[in-house]
Amino acid sequence: MNIFKMTVRVLVGSIAALVMTLGSAIAADFPVKEIKLVVPWNVGGSNDISARLISKILADEGITVVVDNVAGATGSIGMTKVANAEPDGYTIGMGTSSTLAMIAQGLTPLKNEQFAPIARVTTDQLLLLVPKDSPAKDLNSFEAMVKKNPGKISIGTPGSNNLNHIFAVMTGNVVDSSIITVPYTGGSKVIIDLAGKQIDAAVLKPSESKAQIDSNMVMPLGVFANERIKSMPNIPTFKEKGYNVFPYGPLVQMAYLAAPAKTPPEIQEKLIAIFNKAIQDPRFKAASEDGGAKVDSLTGKALGNEIVAVTNTLALVGKKVFTEKK
């Protein structure tokens, strides 16, 4: 009996050692084929732009990254594809605070536990924008218009029940009024309708609207933040105009890369090294910061902790904004 147990123990140990050796060997050669990066938003939005720049930078390193746009359900459809992918490191996705808001409110079957966090891509401040010929020429006149026309002013957002949606609702709440939210499948569609005057306003990232701002097609009125955007210093914050859009605590709009949860640790480390190097590349940082985003170096477990913290905050804020009486 003792000999049998010892034999089993030796076999188990040998198999475990072999698996570890094979895993290390696979990781050493990774990647040997193209990596698919699922972006759960439309082509042309900020997350798509970031993904394609990362792909271009990695191409210079001899690594092929193919961007796959799978839009819908505020990012849930694309991230479900990632969660169900083979956990071999060759399919990863770009998670966002928008999808975290869906998870936080139980509006999707997805769970954070289905993913292995790789690297944060950007954190963004959000803007309130109007068409160039809007009767509102500044934040105060827009809020006066909202107060005078409760339930009549339309604000477009990429997705629903997310940070953009929360801020759209808060735009009405700060003057004890209400607005109409109009959800889209991505920022690129919102900005088209805003420039075409199909909606009265929009809540978007600077990177999703900068080209139209520079072309004088839309006007930014305010920043949903406590500080002005470095690359857009003339746009005031809601705070400095006396509007509190953070009554339930701070909120972070971020994009990050994640792999399926069961991706081997060795492959996760390779993905972290590969993608964080691209994110820290001066070309990516310069383009992101020019578009009003911030870039840091948050990866792996530390990123996972941040994802949990953001999800918890969104659960509280979502409940307050969407379910309680205003």
Side-chain angles (χ1 to χ4, degrees):
M1 189 69 171
N2 288 339
I3 293 174
F4 176 75
K5 285 182 178 178
M6 287 177 64
T7 302
V8 169
R9 229 177 252 142
V10 170
L11 283 171
V12 170
S14 298
I15 291 170
L18 179 60
V19 168
M20 287 180 65
T21 301
L22 288 172
S24 297
I26 292 170
D29 295 331
F30 182 88
V32 296
K33 60 180 183 179
E34 66 184 33
I35 298 172
K36 180 185 291 184
L37 172 50
V38 176
V39 175
W41 302 95
N42 287 315
V43 174
S46 63
N47 298 306
D48 177 67
I49 292 168
S50 291
R52 292 181 189 277
L53 180 52
I54 288 171
S55 173
K56 185 176 183 300
I57 290 169
L58 287 176
D60 293 343
E61 300 286 326
I63 298 171
T64 302
V65 175
V66 178
V67 177
D68 182 19
N69 296 88
V70 186
T74 313
S76 295
I77 294 175
M79 292 309 288
T80 296
K81 184 175 182 179
V82 175
N84 295 333
E86 188 71 27
D88 55 8
Y90 290 102
T91 299
I92 64 172
M94 186 173 285
T96 67
S97 295
S98 292
T99 308
L100 292 182
M102 299 292 282
I103 293 171
Q105 297 167 77
L107 298 174
T108 172
L110 284 176
K111 305 292 182 187
N112 287 329
E113 293 76 20
Q114 292 176 267
F115 303 98
I118 301 302
R120 182 147 70 184
V121 179
T122 55
T123 56
D124 297 86
Q125 295 163 304
L126 296 176
L127 293 170
L128 176 70
L129 302 117
V130 295
K132 66 172 183 177
D133 295 327
S134 170
K137 303 302 181 185
D138 56 34
L139 193 53
N140 286 336
S141 60
F142 182 84
E143 290 294 358
M145 186 170 69
V146 170
K147 189 174 182 65
K148 188 177 179 181
N149 300 279
K152 294 181 180 179
I153 305 301
S154 58
I155 301 182
T157 62
S160 60
N161 290 85
N162 57 8
L163 202 57
N164 302 69
H165 189 173
I166 287 169
F167 284 143
V169 172
M170 290 307 303
T171 300
N173 286 3
V174 292
V175 287
D176 296 318
S177 189
S178 61
I179 51 89
I180 301 170
T181 53
V182 185
Y184 291 76
T185 55
S188 58
K189 291 185 178 292
V190 180
I191 197 69
I192 289 171
D193 275 7
L194 182 68
K197 304 174 188 175
Q198 302 301 308
I199 49 179
D200 297 312
V203 178
L204 292 168
K205 297 176 184 177
S207 55
E208 293 169 320
S209 52
K210 191 173 187 301
Q212 288 77 13
I213 293 171
D214 292 344
S215 300
N216 196 34
M217 297 170 69
V218 301
M219 295 188 299
L221 300 184
V223 185
F224 294 95
N226 292 328
E227 297 178 355
R228 294 192 181 198
I229 298 170
K230 187 177 179 181
S231 61
M232 299 179 172
N234 296 325
I235 307 170
T237 67
F238 274 74
K239 181 181 179 181
E240 66 189 79
K241 292 296 181 179
Y243 303 112
N244 182 14
V245 291
F246 299 106
Y248 311 115
L251 294 167
V252 177
Q253 175 68 39
M254 68 175 179
Y256 60 92
L257 301 177
K262 293 183 180 179
T263 302
E266 299 90 348
I267 299 299
Q268 291 183 38
E269 289 302 317
K270 288 285 285 190
L271 287 169
I272 288 171
I274 290 168
F275 282 95
N276 195 47
K277 182 179 179 182
I279 292 166
Q280 301 308 313
D281 187 284
R283 290 168 291 177
F284 184 81
K285 294 183 81 169
S288 299
E289 290 168 4
D290 183 56
K294 296 179 181 178
V295 178
D296 55 26
S297 184
L298 194 66
T299 62
K301 186 177 179 181
L303 172 59
N305 292 337
E306 177 75 354
I307 288 169
V308 171
V310 171
T311 304
N312 290 340
T313 301
L314 286 168
L316 171 64
V317 177
K319 181 181 178 183
K320 295 282 188 181
V321 172
F322 297 129
T323 64
E324 291 188 359
K325 268 189 172 182
K326 304 175 186 63

XYZ file of all heavy atoms in Angstrom, residues 62-109:
321
model
N 7.731 42.589 -34.874
C 7.547 41.286 -35.512
C 6.384 40.493 -34.942
O 6.274 39.287 -35.174
N 5.504 41.148 -34.175
C 4.349 40.481 -33.577
C 3.086 40.960 -34.283
O 2.821 42.168 -34.361
C 4.255 40.780 -32.069
C 5.495 40.251 -31.348
C 2.982 40.179 -31.464
C 5.595 40.675 -29.894
N 2.312 40.014 -34.810
C 1.095 40.362 -35.531
C -0.104 40.339 -34.599
O -0.404 39.325 -33.973
C 0.843 39.369 -36.689
O 1.969 39.387 -37.571
C -0.412 39.753 -37.468
N -0.782 41.485 -34.494
C -2.002 41.603 -33.696
C -3.124 42.026 -34.634
O -3.036 43.070 -35.285
C -1.842 42.637 -32.560
C -3.162 42.832 -31.823
C -0.760 42.184 -31.587
N -4.164 41.201 -34.711
C -5.304 41.475 -35.583
C -6.454 42.008 -34.734
O -6.894 41.346 -33.791
C -5.751 40.202 -36.339
C -6.973 40.498 -37.197
C -4.612 39.672 -37.189
N -6.935 43.196 -35.063
C -8.042 43.806 -34.320
C -9.366 43.284 -34.861
O -9.613 43.315 -36.068
C -7.993 45.342 -34.420
C -9.195 45.968 -33.705
C -6.690 45.871 -33.826
N -10.200 42.787 -33.959
C -11.498 42.225 -34.313
C -12.585 43.022 -33.596
O -12.723 42.939 -32.383
C -11.550 40.751 -33.885
C -12.862 40.066 -34.248
O -13.578 40.588 -35.120
O -13.159 39.003 -33.660
N -13.344 43.828 -34.342
C -14.404 44.649 -33.752
C -15.688 43.834 -33.613
O -16.243 43.363 -34.599
C -14.671 45.877 -34.611
C -13.475 46.808 -34.674
O -12.601 46.644 -35.529
N -13.417 47.767 -33.777
N -16.130 43.664 -32.362
C -17.357 42.913 -32.068
C -18.220 43.795 -31.164
O -18.162 43.711 -29.944
C -17.051 41.562 -31.377
C -18.334 40.754 -31.217
C -16.029 40.764 -32.177
N -19.008 44.672 -31.781
C -19.768 45.664 -31.020
C -21.098 45.113 -30.528
O -21.619 44.138 -31.064
C -20.011 46.899 -31.886
N -21.624 45.764 -29.491
C -22.965 45.442 -29.014
C -23.044 45.244 -27.521
O -22.081 44.805 -26.876
N -24.212 45.574 -26.950
C -24.515 45.358 -25.532
C -23.475 45.999 -24.611
O -23.051 45.413 -23.616
C -24.650 43.867 -25.234
N -23.071 47.222 -24.951
C -22.111 47.983 -24.130
C -20.848 47.176 -23.843
O -20.331 47.148 -22.736
C -22.774 48.450 -22.822
O -24.055 49.027 -23.134
C -21.962 49.524 -22.120
N -20.354 46.515 -24.875
C -19.107 45.759 -24.769
C -19.265 44.318 -24.354
O -18.307 43.532 -24.437
N -20.447 43.908 -23.915
C -20.635 42.562 -23.366
C -20.499 41.463 -24.413
O -20.000 40.370 -24.117
C -22.011 42.447 -22.695
O -22.083 43.294 -21.574
N -20.944 41.728 -25.640
C -20.884 40.691 -26.680
C -19.428 40.355 -27.004
O -19.037 39.179 -27.054
C -21.646 41.136 -27.934
C -23.151 41.252 -27.635
C -21.418 40.149 -29.085
C -23.978 41.790 -28.778
N -18.628 41.380 -27.228
C -17.220 41.144 -27.552
C -16.452 40.500 -26.410
O -15.660 39.572 -26.619
N -16.681 40.961 -25.185
C -15.955 40.397 -24.047
C -16.424 38.984 -23.715
O -15.652 38.178 -23.167
C -16.080 41.314 -22.831
C -15.356 42.655 -23.000
S -13.625 42.505 -23.534
C -12.846 41.884 -22.036
N -17.656 38.646 -24.053
C -18.112 37.258 -23.899
C -17.337 36.357 -24.855
O -16.969 35.230 -24.505
C -19.626 37.155 -24.175
O -20.331 37.916 -23.194
C -20.101 35.711 -24.108
N -17.079 36.856 -26.053
C -16.275 36.108 -27.026
C -14.881 35.838 -26.470
O -14.330 34.741 -26.646
C -16.185 36.900 -28.330
C -15.446 36.183 -29.444
C -15.510 36.973 -30.743
C -14.791 36.220 -31.867
N -14.872 36.967 -33.156
N -14.323 36.818 -25.776
C -12.993 36.645 -25.172
C -13.051 35.623 -24.037
O -12.203 34.730 -23.941
C -12.463 37.997 -24.645
C -11.129 37.802 -23.911
C -12.299 38.988 -25.781
N -14.050 35.749 -23.174
C -14.179 34.839 -22.026
C -14.296 33.390 -22.470
O -13.785 32.487 -21.800
C -15.398 35.230 -21.190
N -14.953 33.162 -23.615
C -15.178 31.800 -24.109
C -14.095 31.305 -25.054
O -14.170 30.171 -25.547
C -16.541 31.729 -24.819
C -17.702 31.966 -23.868
O -17.602 31.709 -22.677
N -18.809 32.468 -24.391
N -13.092 32.130 -25.318
C -12.025 31.752 -26.255
C -11.084 30.721 -25.636
O -11.011 30.567 -24.410
C -11.241 32.989 -26.677
N -10.354 30.037 -26.483
C -9.325 29.105 -26.018
C -8.315 29.887 -25.175
O -7.776 30.908 -25.622
C -8.623 28.480 -27.222
C -7.678 27.360 -26.883
C -8.374 26.096 -26.419
O -9.533 25.876 -26.809
O -7.751 25.340 -25.653
N -8.033 29.451 -23.947
C -7.124 30.216 -23.074
C -5.652 29.953 -23.388
O -4.882 29.483 -22.541
C -7.506 29.717 -21.675
C -7.944 28.308 -21.893
C -8.620 28.287 -23.247
N -5.262 30.272 -24.613
C -3.884 29.993 -25.042
C -3.086 31.265 -25.284
O -1.941 31.217 -25.740
C -3.898 29.137 -26.316
C -4.718 29.770 -27.449
O -5.153 30.932 -27.297
O -4.924 29.100 -28.480
N -3.701 32.430 -24.988
C -2.999 33.693 -25.168
C -3.185 34.320 -26.536
O -2.750 35.449 -26.751
N -3.839 33.604 -27.435
C -3.974 34.127 -28.803
C -5.286 34.873 -29.037
O -5.544 35.327 -30.150
C -3.789 32.995 -29.815
C -2.353 32.519 -29.853
C -1.968 31.345 -29.225
C -1.367 33.283 -30.477
C -0.649 30.920 -29.237
C -0.041 32.881 -30.486
C 0.308 31.693 -29.861
O 1.622 31.289 -29.861
N -6.109 34.991 -28.004
C -7.291 35.852 -28.061
C -7.359 36.648 -26.769
O -7.396 36.072 -25.684
C -8.598 35.040 -28.211
O -8.558 34.291 -29.422
C -9.806 35.978 -28.257
N -7.328 37.961 -26.902
C -7.479 38.836 -25.743
C -8.526 39.899 -26.105
O -8.930 40.011 -27.267
C -6.152 39.497 -25.316
C -5.636 40.437 -26.410
C -5.110 38.450 -24.983
C -4.433 41.266 -25.978
N -8.970 40.652 -25.128
C -9.986 41.657 -25.391
C -9.682 42.962 -24.695
O -8.852 43.015 -23.779
N -10.355 44.021 -25.145
C -10.195 45.330 -24.523
C -11.420 45.616 -23.655
O -12.490 45.962 -24.155
C -10.015 46.430 -25.567
C -9.701 47.780 -24.941
S -9.281 49.065 -26.149
C -7.622 48.581 -26.605
N -11.256 45.420 -22.359
C -12.323 45.739 -21.429
C -12.375 47.227 -21.170
O -11.396 47.946 -21.389
N -13.527 47.714 -20.733
C -13.686 49.137 -20.424
C -14.558 49.300 -19.185
O -15.252 48.369 -18.764
C -14.352 49.902 -21.585
O -15.700 49.442 -21.728
C -13.598 49.712 -22.889
N -14.542 50.508 -18.643
C -15.426 50.816 -17.516
C -16.883 50.652 -17.904
O -17.732 50.380 -17.047
C -15.177 52.249 -17.031
O -13.878 52.384 -16.511
N -17.197 50.807 -19.188
C -18.574 50.656 -19.642
C -19.071 49.234 -19.401
O -20.172 49.023 -18.880
C -18.686 51.004 -21.124
O -18.453 52.375 -21.337
N -18.256 48.256 -19.773
C -18.649 46.863 -19.551
C -18.616 46.522 -18.063
O -19.447 45.747 -17.579
C -17.738 45.910 -20.349
O -17.715 46.335 -21.721
C -18.261 44.485 -20.299
N -17.682 47.129 -17.328
C -17.648 46.924 -15.876
C -18.940 47.425 -15.239
O -19.429 46.841 -14.270
C -16.448 47.641 -15.260
C -15.063 47.082 -15.603
C -13.984 47.878 -14.880
C -14.956 45.613 -15.270
N -19.507 48.501 -15.787
C -20.771 49.017 -15.266
C -21.897 48.009 -15.490
O -22.778 47.851 -14.638
C -21.108 50.347 -15.936
N -21.874 47.333 -16.624
C -22.874 46.299 -16.903
C -22.726 45.145 -15.914
O -23.715 44.613 -15.385
C -22.715 45.792 -18.332
C -22.913 46.854 -19.402
S -24.610 47.435 -19.516
C -25.353 46.095 -20.428
N -21.473 44.748 -15.660
C -21.197 43.677 -14.691
C -21.651 44.108 -13.300
O -22.299 43.341 -12.579
C -19.690 43.333 -14.696
C -19.289 42.694 -16.036
C -19.339 42.404 -13.532
C -17.794 42.509 -16.217
N -21.326 45.339 -12.940
C -21.636 45.850 -11.598
C -23.138 45.859 -11.325
O -23.573 45.626 -10.199
C -21.075 47.261 -11.433
N -23.929 46.117 -12.360
C -25.381 46.221 -12.194
C -26.120 44.925 -12.533
O -27.349 44.897 -12.537
C -25.910 47.362 -13.072
C -25.366 48.725 -12.668
C -25.642 49.781 -13.719
O -26.758 50.268 -13.831
N -24.639 50.120 -14.498
N -25.361 43.861 -12.808
C -25.979 42.580 -13.117
C -26.742 42.579 -14.428
O -27.686 41.807 -14.615
N -26.320 43.424 -15.376
C -27.009 43.538 -16.666
C -26.396 42.654 -17.738
O -26.810 42.695 -18.898
C -27.003 45.003 -17.119
C -27.732 45.976 -16.179
C -27.538 47.410 -16.639
C -29.217 45.627 -16.096
N -25.404 41.868 -17.357
C -24.770 40.906 -18.252
C -24.361 39.693 -17.428
O -24.058 39.830 -16.242
C -23.522 41.512 -18.943
O -22.830 40.483 -19.672
C -22.557 42.103 -17.924
N -24.372 38.483 -18.017
C -23.918 37.306 -17.272
C -22.409 37.287 -17.026
O -21.909 36.468 -16.258
C -24.323 36.126 -18.165
C -24.969 36.670 -19.372
C -24.941 38.167 -19.313
